[in-house]
């Protein structure tokens, strides 16, 4: 048993006895539930410094490699909107989907590249200008 003195922390007590802070929490959190959330100790607490071994975590199976699902639709010709599963097509809503304006112009442009730098350069070269 260890009587907590002013200025001691969970880490300093664990270090003094060659323990891990997790062991002290495991052995003392029933008596001092706050230990599950914070390493702060109160002066006068009496901590157990021995106890049963910590439970071993159950190993989780390692997922195997996954394959990309086959495309559900053929590639669209360049400049034609390409539908993306789970995202609504802007064209299907028309101007009513954009209440801030009485008309909407939707423009598509090609973006290419295989690295973030190449994609950004393609957007700057081919895409619309925006201050934000």
């Amino acid at each position: 048993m260890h009587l907590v003195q002013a200025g001691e922390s969970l880490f300093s007590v664990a270090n003094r006895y060659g323990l891990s802070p997790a062991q002290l929490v495991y052995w003392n959190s029933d008596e001092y539930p706050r230990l599950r959330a914070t390493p702060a100790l109160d002066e006068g607490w009496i901590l157990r410094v021995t106890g049963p071994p910590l439970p071993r975590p159950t190993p989780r199976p390692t997922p195997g490699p996954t394959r990309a699902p086959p495309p559900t639709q053929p590639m669209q010709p360049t400049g034609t909107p390409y539908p993306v599963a789970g995202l609504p097509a802007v064209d299907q809503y028309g101007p009513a989907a954009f209440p801030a304006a009485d008309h909407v112009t939707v423009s598509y442009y090609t973006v290419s590249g295989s690295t973030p730098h190449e994609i950004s350069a393609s957007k700057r070269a081919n895409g619309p200008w925006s201050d934000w």
Side-chain angles (χ1 to χ4, degrees):
M1 304 302 263
H2 175 83
L3 177 63
V4 176
Q5 304 297 313
E8 286 186 312
S9 70
L10 185 69
F11 304 101
S12 66
V13 173
N15 189 48
R16 178 176 177 177
Y17 293 97
L19 304 170
S20 72
Q23 288 173 302
L24 288 179
V25 170
Y26 182 69
W27 297 329
N28 294 284
S29 61
D30 287 342
E31 180 73 22
Y32 306 107
R34 189 177 78 198
L35 283 174
R36 292 184 188 108
T38 177
L41 302 177
D42 288 344
E43 183 178 358
W45 280 6
I46 299 173
L47 300 178
R48 294 183 60 170
V49 292
T50 62
L54 295 177
R56 291 182 169 225
T58 305
R60 295 182 182 178
T62 305
T66 58
R67 295 179 187 217
T72 56
Q73 297 183 14
M75 291 294 288
Q76 302 292 318
T78 302
T80 304
Y82 185 81
V84 177
L87 295 178
V90 174
D91 291 346
Q92 82 186 43
Y93 295 106
F98 300 92
D102 58 349
H103 71 281
V104 174
T105 302
V106 178
S107 301
Y108 298 91
Y109 56 95
T110 302
V111 176
S112 61
S114 58
T115 66
H117 178 72
E118 291 172 351
I119 293 169
S120 292
S122 176
K123 285 172 35 181
R124 283 191 301 277
N126 302 320
W129 172 255
S130 173
D131 285 333
W132 50 274

